Amino acid sequence: MIDCKQGLFKFDLTNEEEERARLLHENAIIIDMLFQGPLSPSAIREEISNNLKDRCEPFKDDMMTYSGMSSKLISRMSVNDEIPEFKDEWYKSGITAGNRQLNLSSPESIIMSMAEVQQQFDSFAWLSKAVTAADIRAAKQQNLKAGIITAQETHGLGTNLELLEALYDFGLRVLQLTYNTQNYIGAGCAEKSNAGITNFGITFIERLNELGIIVDTGHCGKQTTLDACRYSKKPVIASHTGVENIFNHMRCKSDEEIMAIANTGGVIGVFAMPWFVHDDPNQTTINHVLDHIDYIINLVGVDHVGIGTDWPMSDVTWSLIYFKENIAPKLGFAKGNGPSTESIIGFEKYSYFINFTRGLLARGYSDAEIQKIIGRNWLRVFEEVCG
């Protein structure tokens, strides 16, 4: 049963509409294609946060280790059942499938993140690895949760296509071509050159198509996105982005990119990151996120939009502040350009995911349209590419 009593955003729905939203959300296959949850700073107890800070403090001289240490410890504590909110938040959210993310930034990170992800599947009887659309449907039928293995960068692969095949065998099914900057495949959205896909990038996309891995352009530059749509023979996605014409940010997509993705049969996932959807991150509500969804639907139709929240993180506030001040600038984000500690009003926790369903219902979408937006569009692409 979905918990509708806490975290409800004010949409002025009638009691009948609230019940309709509850039943729709409870029965739908829901997919978050950039699922950093199920935890969030507000879902992690203060005593755990303080304990983590004490454990991490000796490593503060090593910036990168210190920055990522709390989230790794949270993951370890979750699989050891020390943070029961991990399961509770996921089930309260109603989300059927969310991605479990690999870090492909270096050979070492590939190995470590594979172990961390696999440990979740091995430790949680209620979490299954989804390598086909049938796996996601089965999870829904059995009241389980499905993890889709994804990655946001390719740097650690170099030009080793055999390693890509090994990752496919492990379960990798969605791969973002670039993360903000330039790599062997193409130019990211923070690259001023806007250089597009390289010759190797064309070969790489062909191999993704052959294996059955979805081409993701979330952090890609404009020309890289357009080129990916040109060269891919399978649907292309942007797992987590926004609309440039609503908020002009490097992480948002132009109308041309949105139409190109839709023309491949793909899906544009809208994120819930306050700094990327509205000009005041302290006053960004779920309605601002829904505005981006509305725009995409009006531009390319309801079959080509989904949700890839990408926020909040499964981390604690002090760690996020450190990341904002010390790490984000190294990843191509300008000061104050996110990520930070703000969250969408109406989506402070993953257990509040029903607010998407309620908000779409308040905007007049039919049950069938809402089902597509919150999951079935992603499921269609997953089935077309992955089987």
Side-chain angles (χ1 to χ4, degrees):
M1 173 97 38
I2 305 301
D3 182 1
C4 296
K5 294 179 181 178
Q6 295 184 340
L8 290 185
F9 187 81
K10 186 174 175 60
F11 286 118
D12 293 324
L13 298 177
T14 66
N15 289 338
E16 183 181 355
E17 288 171 329
E18 291 286 10
E19 179 63 8
R20 176 184 157 202
R22 185 189 68 80
L23 290 173
L24 177 59
H25 197 81
E26 196 167 277
N27 293 320
I29 288 179
I30 300 172
I31 300 174
D32 185 347
M33 195 53 83
L34 212 298
F35 181 56
Q36 300 286 12
L39 294 173
S40 59
S42 57
I44 298 172
R45 284 165 280 147
E46 185 177 0
E47 61 266 30
I48 290 177
S49 176
N50 293 336
N51 175 266
L52 288 169
K53 191 167 188 178
D54 291 340
R55 293 173 67 180
C56 295
E57 201 66 18
F59 300 88
K60 199 167 185 179
D61 289 341
D62 184 340
M63 254 194 214
M64 295 305 291
T65 298
Y66 181 75
S67 172
M69 193 171 183
S70 63
S71 62
K72 289 183 182 298
L73 289 172
I74 288 167
S75 176
R76 192 172 301 163
M77 292 171 71
S78 297
V79 298
N80 290 335
D81 206 25
E82 296 173 56
I83 307 180
E85 291 86 353
F86 189 94
K87 179 180 179 181
D88 294 343
E89 283 288 301
W90 197 327
Y91 271 83
K92 287 177 182 177
S93 74
I95 295 169
T96 311
N99 62 303
R100 302 288 83 190
Q101 191 164 276
L102 297 178
N103 181 344
L104 307 188
S105 60
S106 68
E108 294 81 8
S109 67
I110 293 172
I111 295 170
M112 289 188 292
S113 65
M114 287 174 72
E116 184 177 301
V117 166
Q118 188 58 45
Q119 187 180 30
Q120 289 188 19
F121 291 119
D122 292 343
S123 300
F124 298 129
W126 51 268
L127 180 63
S128 62
K129 186 183 292 188
V131 296
T132 67
D135 295 331
I136 297 174
R137 292 192 180 95
K140 180 64 179 178
Q141 291 169 356
Q142 298 167 28
N143 194 31
L144 304 175
K145 301 302 177 185
I148 301 169
I149 298 179
T150 70
Q152 287 203 64
E153 71 282 293
T154 59
H155 187 74
L157 299 179
T159 56
N160 188 340
L161 294 179
E162 288 186 7
L163 185 52
L164 177 63
E165 292 174 19
L167 287 167
Y168 173 82
D169 291 339
F170 178 74
L172 180 69
R173 291 299 181 268
V174 182
L175 183 56
Q176 187 171 259
L177 300 178
T178 66
Y179 188 93
N180 288 1
T181 55
Q182 179 74 44
N183 63 17
Y184 290 109
I185 294 166
C189 60
E191 288 288 348
K192 296 185 185 302
S193 67
N194 191 31
I197 293 289
T198 64
N199 290 338
F200 172 72
I202 297 172
T203 301
F204 193 87
I205 290 171
E206 289 174 350
R207 192 68 188 115
L208 292 179
N209 288 170
E210 291 167 358
L211 287 169
I213 299 174
I214 298 170
V215 176
D216 183 7
T217 62
H219 279 255
C220 292
K222 180 176 181 178
Q223 193 57 51
T224 300
T225 301
L226 297 176
D227 287 348
C229 294
R230 175 186 175 189
Y231 292 114
S232 178
K233 294 179 173 61
K234 300 286 183 68
V236 171
I237 69 168
S239 59
H240 58 305
T241 188
V243 176
E244 184 182 84
N245 272 348
I246 293 180
F247 189 62
N248 190 6
H249 190 282
M250 72 173 189
R251 282 289 290 106
C252 293
K253 298 293 186 190
S254 64
D255 285 5
E256 186 179 4
E257 291 168 274
I258 292 169
M259 289 188 289
I261 292 169
N263 285 337
T264 70
V267 173
I268 300 91
V270 174
F271 44 30
M273 304 191 81
W275 331 271
F276 300 159
V277 298
H278 183 56
D279 58 6
D280 185 352
N282 290 299
Q283 298 298 323
T284 306
T285 75
I286 197 164
N287 272 321
H288 293 111
V289 179
L290 295 173
D291 288 344
H292 287 250
I293 291 175
D294 281 345
Y295 186 99
I296 294 169
I297 291 171
N298 289 331
L299 183 65
V300 295
V302 74
D303 292 330
H304 302 288
V305 67
I307 297 170
T309 56
D310 199 25
W311 204 258
M313 295 288 286
S314 286
D315 209 338
V316 288
T317 301
W318 62 262
S319 178
L320 293 175
I321 292 172
Y322 185 86
F323 180 89
K324 174 190 74 171
E325 294 175 350
N326 297 282
I327 307 301
K330 300 178 186 296
L331 300 177
F333 292 108
K335 185 177 181 180
N337 203 17
S340 186
T341 57
E342 300 88 357
S343 59
I344 297 291
I345 298 169
F347 192 60
E348 297 87 351
K349 295 182 178 183
Y350 286 93
S351 53
Y352 298 170
F353 202 92
I354 193 172
N355 284 334
F356 285 105
T357 301
R358 295 175 64 246
L360 291 166
L361 189 152
R363 293 185 178 217
Y365 290 102
S366 70
D367 288 11
E369 289 171 330
I370 294 171
Q371 287 176 330
K372 288 182 177 182
I373 298 164
I374 63 177
R376 288 206 170 270
N377 286 338
W378 288 131
L379 187 66
R380 171 183 57 79
V381 171
F382 201 81
E383 186 158 44
E384 287 181 24
V385 178
C386 309

